Amino acid sequence: MAKINGNTIKPGMVLQHNGGLWVVTKASHVKPGKGGAFANVEAKNLETGNKLNERFRSEDKVERVTLEQRDFSYLYEQGDALVFMDDGTYEQIELQKDWVGEDSIPYLQDGMKVVIEMHEGRPIGLELPDHVTLTVAETEPTVKGQTASSSYKPAVADNGVRIMIPPYMSAGERIVVDTSTGEYVRRAD
């Protein structure tokens, strides 16, 4: 771990502070007319999700942490846990569903490649691929003449996620969805 000055903190950095790991979400640097420069930092705890607002002076030293990013494949669900396999060592790990998050779970598919950020052998974060291909399970039928408008219609994908799709699409079609926003991107090839 490297020690950095308080005035070099930027959003996205991971810091070890007050006995926890914090990811910086906002950092504004202030140089008042009187006194030393400082940085107002907003951070989120990677383990508990708590938020922190802290002021670091330019001469303060902070521990910067580098997380190891490892490639894993999603295997299967086992009770309250999800099982992933390390693509390099073939070692399997179980992560609790509430740790993974209910926003991410529906997008997981057998064999899907994910990136798990590790710190000292402990999982800290999980990154899904940017896009995932889903099948439209149900939607309203297309009404003739309705396809000219730019409005979208509601649909349910095969994983149970509700999504808005173009009016000309029907059930059974494959679509590409953005995993971070849950929005329709394009028709799958």
Side-chain angles (χ1 to χ4, degrees):
M1 286 190 285
K3 285 206 180 267
I4 60 169
N5 288 338
N7 62 346
T8 59
I9 297 172
K10 294 182 178 73
M13 287 183 170
V14 178
L15 308 174
Q16 179 133 22
H17 183 65
N18 291 344
L21 292 177
W22 303 83
V23 63
V24 177
T25 53
K26 286 183 187 170
S28 61
H29 299 279
V30 181
K31 175 87 174 92
K34 186 176 181 184
F38 60 88
N40 280 326
V41 175
E42 251 181 61
K44 182 179 174 189
N45 190 302
L46 287 172
E47 286 135 359
T48 64
N50 293 343
K51 296 206 175 192
L52 166 86
N53 285 321
E54 189 88 28
R55 180 179 283 186
F56 293 99
R57 295 175 309 172
S58 58
E59 58 269 7
D60 289 344
K61 296 284 186 194
V62 187
E63 292 277 345
R64 180 174 180 192
V65 178
T66 305
L67 298 179
E68 178 188 0
Q69 295 193 333
R70 292 176 33 197
D71 294 327
F72 281 79
S73 296
Y74 171 67
L75 296 179
Y76 55 90
E77 185 176 327
Q78 182 174 329
D80 283 345
L82 302 169
V83 180
F84 295 86
M85 179 184 68
D86 188 321
D87 291 347
T89 64
Y90 304 111
E91 190 178 309
Q92 292 183 7
I93 62 168
E94 287 186 15
L95 299 175
Q96 295 301 312
K97 286 182 181 177
D98 57 349
W99 184 88
V100 173
E102 52 187 71
D103 294 344
S104 300
I105 292 173
Y107 295 112
L108 289 172
Q109 299 170 349
D110 290 343
M112 175 183 273
K113 304 286 185 211
V114 298
V115 174
I116 296 180
E117 294 179 318
M118 310 282 272
H119 178 256
E120 297 174 353
R122 199 172 83 232
I124 298 294
L126 179 127
E127 276 180 42
L128 293 173
D130 293 339
H131 298 112
V132 64
T133 303
L134 302 174
T135 304
V136 177
E138 58 185 73
T139 186
E140 300 166 0
T142 304
V143 177
K144 191 173 181 179
Q146 187 183 30
T147 57
S149 72
S150 63
S151 63
Y152 281 47
K153 65 181 180 180
V156 178
D158 56 352
N159 63 352
V161 172
R162 296 193 172 282
I163 190 164
M164 299 298 283
I165 62 172
Y168 56 82
M169 299 193 86
S170 57
E173 292 197 57
R174 295 179 50 76
I175 58 172
V176 176
V177 176
D178 186 317
T179 56
S180 59
T181 63
E183 293 177 354
Y184 167 85
V185 177
R186 65 178 188 279
R187 184 182 260 164
D189 300 331

